[in-house]
Amino acid sequence: MSFPDPIAVFRTEAAELLEQIETGLLDLNHDLANKDQVDAVFRGLHTLKGSGAMFGFEALAAFTHHCESAFDQVRKGVVPATHDLVSAVLNATDHMRALIEVPAGDHDAASEHLLSTLRLAVEQAGNPDAGTPVKPAAEPRMTHYRLHFSLPRNAMANGTNPLPLLDELRELGECTVEVHKSCIPALDDLSAGDLYLSWTVNLKTAQPRSAIDDVFIFVMDEMELSLEIVDARNEQADEASPVAEAAPTEAKSNNASGTPVRAESTAVTKAAPQQQDAKQAKSSENVRVPAERLDELMDRVGELVIAQSRLSQLAGSSGDLQLRAVSEDVERLSGELRDTMMVLRMVPVAQLFGRFRRLVHDLAIETGKAIELITEGETTEVDKSVVERLADPLVHLVRNSCDHGLETPEERRAAGKDPVGRIFLSARQAAGEVIITIKDDGRGINRERVRAKAEASGIIAPNAVLADQELLQLIFQPGFSTAQQVTNLSGRGVGMDVVKRTIDALRGSIDVTSHNGTGSEISLAIPLTLAIIDGLLVRVGAGRYVIPLSAVEECLELSPEEDMRSRGRSFISLRDSLVPFIRLRDLFNTNTTPDPFQKVVVISTGSERVGLVVDQIIGDHQTVIKSMSKLHHDVATFSGATILGDGGVALILDVGHLVAAGQHQEAQLRAAG
C-alpha cells in the first residue's frame, strides 16, 4: 500500500490555506473594522507558518511570521487595519506560493522588498499623522503558566517536530524548558522513529491563553497536555481557553506569605467532547481524492455503460428470461453508478468565481478605477473538467470588462453614474447547459469603432450589411482589438480569440449584447458535462444519431400530408403556436427516401423551440461521449460520438450549432428561390 507524499499533502493544504487567507483579506478590505476577518486572517497565517516549519519550509515560516506579527498587532488593537496593509499582505501571499513551489529558489530580494513594504504599511497605520504624538502603550500584564505536554509515540513519523512548538512558546515571553527522559526504553527496545520525550515549560507572558492553544493547534487531538496558572493575579478574566474544560478559579490561602497559591490545574488528553465530535464529523465529511483517479474511474464507468448497452441488446434479441432479468439489473446498477459518478465530478462554480475577487482587486489598483465584483449563482454545479477549461476565458472577459468596459471615476461622474463601476458574474443551469454571464455597467461596445477596425483589417467588406449580433461577434476574431494603445492588460487582440476558441472546443456558444452608455453582457452557454449524458437515439436514413435528452421537450408524428403542406415554409402548428423545424435528411444529404410516418423531435435551445424531423425514434440511450478525430474537429454540427450496443457508432448532435446550420440553410434556400 502506497502512502501519499507528505510534502505533496502539505502543498495541497497550504494552497487551501492561502485561498482562505486571500478571501479573508478581500473581505476585510471592504470592512476594515471587521474583527472576525482580522482573526480569520491571523489564524490562517499562524497555521501556515506552523505547518511550514513542521514540514521543513523554513523560509516560508520565517517570511509568514512577519505577516502574522503584523496582523497580531491589528488583532490586539495596536494598529488599525488599512487598505495599504491589506494590499501588502495580499502581495505577500503570492510570494508565499513561490516559497512553497520552489523552496530552494533565490527569494531573498523579493522577500526583503515585500517585508519593507509591509513594515512601511504597519508604521503608517500605527502613526498616520507624524505630528500627532503616539499614546504610550500600557504596561502589559504578565501571567505565569506551567505546561506539561507529551506528543504521541508516532508523532515524528507523521511529520510533527516538537522543536518548532518549543520555539513558538519561547516567542510568547520568558520561557524555560525542562525535558523528561524517563520514558526512554533500553537500547534494544528503542525505535529510531518513535518519540519518548516529554516537556515541562514555565512561561511568563502577556499573551492571552488562546495564544498557547494556537501553538498546539495541529496536535491538540492526540497529545497530552496539562496547563496550570502559577500566579493568576494578572490573568484577564474574559479570556477563555479551548484547552481547559473549566474556567479559572482563584483560590487564596492564609499562609504565612499571604500570597495567592495555585489557582488552577487542568489536565487534558483530548479536546472537549463537543469539539472532538465536530472535528471528527468534519473530517468524515470530505475525503481528498486525486483528480486523476476520478478521471480513471469515469473512464471505467463509461466502458461499463457501453458493455451494459451491448448486454441489453443481446438480451432483447434472446428468449432467455433469466438473461433479460440479469440485463435489467445490470442496467439499473450501471445507471445508478453513472449518476453517482457524475455527482462526484460536479463542483460548484464558487471555486471558479472566487479567484476573480483577487483579480478585480488588482485590476482596480492597476487601472486606477473603483471596481466592485458581484457574483450570483455560485452554488451552480458543473463538471470539474468544464470548470478547469473555463478559467482562462473568464479571466480574459473580466480583464476586458475592467479595462475597456468600465470608465474612470471621473468619466462616470460626468455621465451621472456611480463612480464605482460594477462587474456582475453569474451562473445558472438551463436545458442541460450552464449559462455563465459577465456583465458590466460601463460604456458599452462602440459599434462604429468595431466596424471601422474590422473593415481596416479586411475581416469584412466596406459597408457590408451585418446583423447587430454578427457585428458584436467580430470582437472574437483573431488579432482584433479596438484598444488605441497596447497596455499590460489589453490591446494585442489575443484575449477574446482565446475565449472563442476555448468555448468552441467545449461545444458552447457565446451571446453578446451591449447598450451605449449602460454596459455590455456576454453569456457563455456550456454543456454541464463532457463525459456521459442521457440521449435520445434516432435514425435519419441509414444513420443513427443521439440528441441530448436534456434539450428534448416532446416528440410528434409528421404525417405525409403535413409534410407536403409544410414544404416551402418549414413550420408546424403546435398548440396554437408555430414551431420551425429542420429536416435532418436534407441537412445531412442522406439521399434516401423518407419513411411514411416521420417524427418531429421538438428541442429547446435557450429561448426558442425548434423541431428536428427524423425517420425513427429508437429510444433513450446512456451516451458515453467520445471525442471526434482531428479530421472532424471543424464539423460543428456534432459534439462527439458514442459506441452503440452492436458496436456501431452514432454521432451526437450539437443542437445549438445544428439549429444555426439549419437557419443558414433555410436562408440560402430562400435567397435561391
Side-chain angles (χ1 to χ4, degrees):
M1 178 178 179
S2 61
F3 293 94
D5 180 11
I7 301 301
V9 173
F10 164 72
R11 285 195 168 105
T12 301
E13 294 180 348
E16 295 177 357
L17 276 173
L18 285 169
E19 185 175 340
Q20 294 171 10
I21 293 169
E22 197 171 272
T23 300
L25 288 168
L26 292 170
D27 289 338
L28 180 62
N29 202 42
H30 287 286
D31 183 10
L32 294 175
N34 193 323
K35 298 297 184 183
D36 292 337
Q37 293 300 337
V38 172
D39 291 339
V41 172
F42 174 80
R43 286 194 299 269
L45 292 169
H46 180 80
T47 303
L48 182 62
K49 181 192 76 171
S51 56
M54 188 179 300
F55 285 93
F57 289 77
E58 299 297 341
L60 171 68
F63 180 81
T64 308
H65 172 72
H66 295 283
C67 299
E68 177 199 19
S69 299
F71 259 84
D72 191 31
Q73 295 186 58
V74 177
R75 189 176 64 140
K76 295 175 181 176
V78 178
V79 298
T82 63
H83 294 293
D84 289 340
L85 177 57
V86 171
S87 296
V89 180
L90 270 175
N91 294 332
T93 59
D94 296 332
H95 187 61
M96 293 173 194
R97 290 187 174 92
L99 291 172
I100 293 171
E101 294 301 323
V102 190
D106 184 9
H107 303 289
D108 293 343
S111 296
E112 185 56 37
H113 173 71
L114 290 169
L115 290 179
S116 63
T117 304
L118 179 63
R119 285 191 291 267
L120 179 61
V122 173
E123 291 173 1
Q124 291 178 343
N127 188 17
D129 186 358
T132 303
V134 180
K135 183 179 179 180
E139 185 177 347
R141 294 180 293 180
M142 305 294 288
T143 305
H144 184 184
Y145 296 96
R146 181 176 291 120
L147 299 81
H148 180 81
F149 72 94
S150 61
L151 299 173
R153 185 69 60 86
N154 60 348
M156 300 287 286
N158 291 335
T160 301
N161 187 345
L163 296 181
L165 301 179
L166 296 172
D167 290 339
E168 287 191 49
L169 290 174
R170 288 191 181 96
E171 293 174 359
L172 297 179
E174 300 178 16
C175 181
T176 59
V177 179
E178 179 184 358
V179 62
H180 302 288
K181 308 174 185 177
S182 58
C183 294
I184 299 178
L187 184 61
D188 294 339
D189 299 328
L190 186 114
S191 174
D194 288 347
L195 181 63
Y196 303 99
L197 304 177
S198 60
W199 294 266
T200 295
V201 179
N202 285 284
L203 174 64
K204 292 182 180 180
T205 179
Q207 299 289 339
R209 187 180 305 172
S210 58
I212 300 176
D213 303 335
D214 289 341
V215 172
F216 301 104
I217 188 172
F218 299 112
V219 291
M220 185 73 73
D221 291 341
E222 298 178 352
M223 69 180 298
E224 293 186 1
L225 171 66
S226 66
L227 181 148
E228 65 183 65
I229 300 174
V230 179
D231 186 352
R233 285 177 297 181
N234 295 324
E235 172 73 354
Q236 298 181 25
D238 57 349
E239 279 293 330
S241 170
V243 174
E245 297 181 351
T249 59
E250 185 173 284
K252 293 187 177 181
S253 173
N254 295 324
N255 56 7
S257 63
T259 58
V261 296
R262 181 174 303 171
E264 176 189 17
S265 177
T266 306
V268 180
T269 58
K270 290 187 178 292
Q274 295 85 353
Q275 293 178 340
Q276 187 176 353
D277 292 343
K279 290 183 178 180
Q280 290 177 349
K282 184 176 181 180
S283 63
S284 63
E285 287 174 1
N286 299 292
V287 177
R288 196 185 305 276
V289 178
E292 295 79 7
R293 294 187 183 180
L294 283 181
D295 294 336
E296 184 179 351
L297 182 58
M298 187 74 251
D299 292 339
R300 299 294 182 269
V301 172
E303 296 300 325
L304 176 62
V305 169
I306 294 174
Q308 175 269 317
S309 179
R310 295 180 58 191
L311 177 61
S312 297
Q313 186 165 351
L314 290 173
S317 60
S318 172
D320 191 336
L321 296 180
Q322 291 185 347
L323 179 59
R324 291 188 178 183
V326 171
S327 174
E328 292 174 357
D329 288 341
V330 172
E331 182 177 0
R332 174 180 57 82
L333 293 173
S334 64
E336 293 174 354
L337 181 59
R338 181 209 62 175
D339 293 341
T340 301
M341 187 64 230
M342 294 309 302
V343 171
L344 289 177
R345 288 175 59 93
M346 302 296 276
V347 295
V349 296
Q351 62 178 250
L352 177 63
F353 285 3
R355 68 184 68 178
F356 295 106
R357 297 184 62 197
R358 173 68 187 280
L359 176 65
V360 170
H361 173 272
D362 293 344
L363 290 176
I365 297 175
E366 188 169 350
T367 60
K369 299 176 181 178
I371 307 176
E372 180 182 2
L373 176 66
I374 301 173
T375 58
E376 295 179 356
E378 293 174 303
T379 57
T380 304
E381 292 188 333
V382 192
D383 190 285
K384 73 174 187 65
S385 59
V386 175
V387 168
E388 293 167 357
R389 296 169 67 176
L390 277 177
D392 284 345
L394 288 181
V395 167
H396 289 296
L397 291 174
V398 171
R399 289 168 67 96
N400 199 65
S401 292
C402 292
D403 193 30
H404 290 302
L406 296 179
E407 311 95 331
T408 62
E410 294 76 16
E411 292 172 334
R412 293 180 67 86
R413 289 191 187 96
K417 294 182 177 181
D418 188 328
V420 178
R422 289 173 176 82
I423 295 178
F424 302 86
L425 192 58
S426 63
R428 60 184 176 87
Q429 288 186 9
E433 294 180 323
V434 59
I435 311 297
I436 296 180
T437 303
I438 301 93
K439 179 181 178 182
D440 64 68
D441 62 351
R443 58 173 62 93
I445 298 176
N446 190 320
R447 289 168 172 78
E448 290 75 17
R449 186 179 295 176
V450 170
R451 174 179 284 276
K453 180 67 175 181
E455 291 178 355
S457 303
I459 299 175
I460 61 173
N463 301 319
V465 179
L466 296 176
D468 188 61
Q469 187 61 216
E470 292 176 325
L471 180 64
L472 294 176
Q473 290 286 337
L474 293 176
I475 64 176
F476 297 104
Q477 291 292 325
F480 189 92
S481 176
T482 58
Q484 297 181 354
Q485 61 181 3
V486 176
T487 67
N488 291 335
L489 297 181
S490 58
R492 296 176 175 83
V494 295
M496 302 303 274
D497 178 32
V498 170
V499 174
K500 179 66 174 174
R501 285 189 283 108
T502 304
I503 300 305
D504 286 344
L506 290 170
R507 297 295 174 178
S509 60
I510 306 176
D511 182 68
V512 184
T513 58
S514 180
H515 303 283
N516 288 333
T518 59
S520 305
E521 179 177 325
I522 298 179
S523 295
L524 312 178
I526 311 294
L528 282 175
T529 179
L530 304 176
I532 299 178
I533 61 171
D534 284 319
L536 184 67
L537 187 62
V538 300
R539 180 178 60 82
V540 179
R544 290 173 290 180
Y545 304 90
V546 174
I547 304 173
L549 199 58
S550 58
V552 176
E553 287 197 351
E554 56 184 307
C555 300
L556 308 171
E557 189 172 275
L558 183 66
S559 64
E561 295 79 12
E562 292 176 324
D563 188 20
M564 292 301 298
R565 285 197 301 269
S566 64
R567 291 287 176 180
R569 62 188 183 94
S570 298
F571 282 94
I572 58 172
S573 178
L574 181 61
R575 291 186 290 276
D576 299 329
S577 63
L578 292 178
V579 177
F581 65 81
I582 303 170
R583 293 179 173 87
L584 294 184
R585 178 184 296 99
D586 297 338
L587 185 64
F588 296 159
N589 295 321
T590 60
N591 297 321
T592 57
T593 304
D595 283 17
F597 292 93
Q598 300 177 82
K599 307 296 185 297
V600 179
V601 180
V602 181
I603 61 174
S604 173
T605 58
S607 59
E608 59 180 340
R609 303 165 72 202
V610 179
L612 304 178
V613 179
V614 301
D615 288 326
Q616 180 188 2
I617 297 176
I618 300 175
D620 64 323
H621 184 268
Q622 290 189 31
T623 305
V624 180
I625 301 176
K626 300 292 185 181
S627 301
M628 303 281 283
S629 68
K630 293 183 179 180
L631 296 175
H632 303 89
H633 181 71
D634 295 331
V635 183
T637 310
F638 307 108
S639 60
T642 187
I643 302 175
L644 302 176
D646 59 1
V649 176
L651 296 176
I652 304 169
L653 300 182
D654 188 321
V655 292
H657 288 88
L658 182 66
V659 170
Q663 291 173 344
H664 180 68
Q665 184 189 56
E666 186 74 18
Q668 288 181 332
L669 292 175
R670 290 178 180 176

